Amino acid sequence: ITVSLNSLAKNVPPDLLAALVEEGMWTPAQGLAYARRVPYPWQRSDALARLALHFPGLERERILGEALAEAQMIELEEWRASTLTGLASSLSVSQLREALTMARAIQNKRQRAKALAGLVSHLPGPEREQALQEGMIAARAIRDEYRRADALTALIPHLPVLAQEQALQEVLAIVWTIQDQYRRVRVWARLIPYLPNSKRGQVVRETLQAARAIQDRYQQAKALTELTPNLPEPDREQALQEALVAAQAIQDEFWRAAALAELAPYLPEPLLHKALEAARMIELKVGRATALAGLAPNLPEPEREQAWREALKTVRVSGDEQSQE
């Protein structure tokens, strides 16, 4: 029985575990039994955190404690930082302090800054201020300009006003040293919401122009997509149309599918239908299923159900077990 449980748990990802419990197909206790047998610590932590929400009071806190303990066991610091960030909103104050200790122990400066940025908004006053200072120190010590600017930008929303202004000037100075145009646009896109109105319009125009000049079609589509939330209405629709054209022009069908899926949440209905047509034309089955699954949640009924059915059918007939999984 134990061998069978271990084998099954290996093939039930956290998303599916949570969905089975949320839909009432499994009880929370059944889901928890499988979650504890998931083979990898980062998956185990994610599954436990998702299932903890289905338990009351002290039991929930105990399960979240298990999830935090699993996070400590993750060897890859990038995944450990992401896991701590994902857990932050669910943890009690005492557990947040444990997570803070774990974040401080991360050796990679970029990942330490990332973990601290994910925790600060949930920490109580004095600890929050100290964590912010530590995050800024770690971010400023990152040698790669793009990663340094990205880490500082993640911390900006949590800083007090005067420190925000200083950090903005710091990032603005770094941005112009970033040689890779795609990376520079991505930093601009994250930075725009925090710029003063006097600078925002000009920066938006320059960033949009830079995004349009990116030669790689996948990067161009992604850059335009990330910019759209900060654009005024006429420019937003135009940028989305351009992003969709760029996505359709990607030669590699896997990356074309990924671009269409990433675009989906931003597209208005007429463009969603165009993206759906483009997804259906992808010959690579795993690519077509990926694109359809990415588009489906954003489609109106009955197109939504039809897209899910097509994605599922495509996966079933692919004949590739790894792709099916």
Side-chain angles (χ1 to χ4, degrees):
I1 291 171
T2 301
V3 170
S4 298
L5 278 171
N6 289 340
S7 178
L8 284 169
K10 184 177 180 180
N11 295 308
V12 184
D15 284 345
L16 182 54
L17 269 177
L20 287 166
V21 174
E22 285 163 11
E23 295 299 321
M25 299 176 73
W26 282 5
T27 66
Q30 284 176 301
L32 187 60
Y34 276 87
R36 285 173 172 152
R37 293 179 180 275
V38 171
Y40 306 111
W42 61 273
Q43 282 188 318
R44 210 157 47 237
S45 180
D46 185 17
L48 288 165
R50 288 168 182 263
L51 290 167
L53 302 177
H54 298 279
F55 289 85
L58 290 174
E59 197 168 3
R60 174 186 299 187
E61 189 170 341
R62 180 176 55 77
I63 296 166
L64 285 169
E66 290 182 47
L68 195 57
E70 295 296 344
Q72 178 71 59
M73 295 173 63
I74 299 170
E75 292 184 10
L76 192 63
E77 289 191 324
E78 181 178 358
W79 290 4
R80 196 187 317 153
S82 296
T83 301
L84 289 172
T85 299
L87 284 171
S89 62
S90 303
L91 299 177
S92 66
V93 173
S94 61
Q95 288 171 337
L96 278 167
R97 290 183 178 124
E98 287 182 50
L100 182 57
T101 300
M102 292 182 200
R104 285 169 170 158
I106 293 173
Q107 296 299 305
N108 182 286
K109 295 180 181 70
R110 181 189 174 203
Q111 300 307 328
R112 192 190 320 151
K114 175 182 173 181
L116 290 167
L119 291 171
V120 288
S121 62
H122 306 284
L123 290 166
E127 286 156 315
R128 178 180 180 178
E129 187 176 338
Q130 180 62 32
L132 272 172
Q133 290 175 0
E134 292 173 25
M136 292 296 288
I137 290 168
R140 284 172 175 146
I142 297 169
R143 292 185 179 182
D144 181 276
E145 290 88 352
Y146 167 71
R147 290 188 170 92
R148 183 161 76 250
D150 194 50
L152 287 167
T153 304
L155 288 160
I156 283 173
H158 309 291
L159 295 171
V161 176
L162 289 177
Q164 263 193 15
E165 292 175 7
Q166 182 184 351
L168 277 170
Q169 294 304 318
E170 197 172 338
V171 177
L172 289 171
I174 297 168
V175 167
W176 294 111
T177 69
I178 299 172
Q179 298 300 309
D180 186 291
Q181 198 166 21
Y182 170 60
R183 285 182 157 196
R184 193 189 312 151
V185 169
R186 293 197 72 188
V187 175
W188 277 125
R190 292 188 63 188
L191 201 60
I192 287 168
Y194 310 110
L195 292 172
N197 291 333
S198 58
K199 290 186 178 180
R200 190 175 302 170
Q202 181 184 349
V203 170
V204 166
R205 288 190 295 273
E206 290 177 1
T207 310
L208 193 53
Q209 185 178 356
R212 287 168 173 156
I214 294 171
Q215 296 300 306
D216 182 284
R217 290 295 197 173
Y218 175 74
Q219 291 184 350
Q220 185 187 54
K222 194 171 177 67
L224 287 166
T225 302
E226 291 182 4
L227 270 175
T228 52
N230 302 304
L231 298 176
E233 192 53 50
D235 291 335
R236 183 183 307 166
E237 187 172 347
Q238 178 64 30
L240 285 170
Q241 289 175 351
E242 292 174 29
L244 182 55
V245 169
Q248 289 172 305
I250 297 169
Q251 294 299 308
D252 186 294
E253 289 193 321
F254 178 83
W255 290 109
R256 191 191 315 160
L260 290 170
E262 288 167 8
L263 256 175
Y266 302 91
L267 296 176
E269 196 168 315
L271 292 181
L272 266 174
H273 289 133
K274 288 185 179 180
L276 185 59
E277 290 173 17
R280 285 170 172 157
M281 293 175 65
I282 295 172
E283 293 184 11
L284 181 70
K285 289 183 174 64
V286 65
R288 193 188 322 150
T290 297
L292 289 168
L295 289 164
N298 305 282
L299 291 166
E301 292 290 1
E303 289 99 327
R304 181 185 307 167
E305 185 176 350
Q306 179 61 30
W308 279 124
R309 289 181 183 277
E310 288 179 46
L312 189 57
K313 182 179 179 181
T314 303
V315 169
R316 282 174 173 162
V317 300
S318 70
D320 181 341
E321 288 187 9
Q322 187 174 356
S323 298
Q324 285 177 339
E325 187 178 336

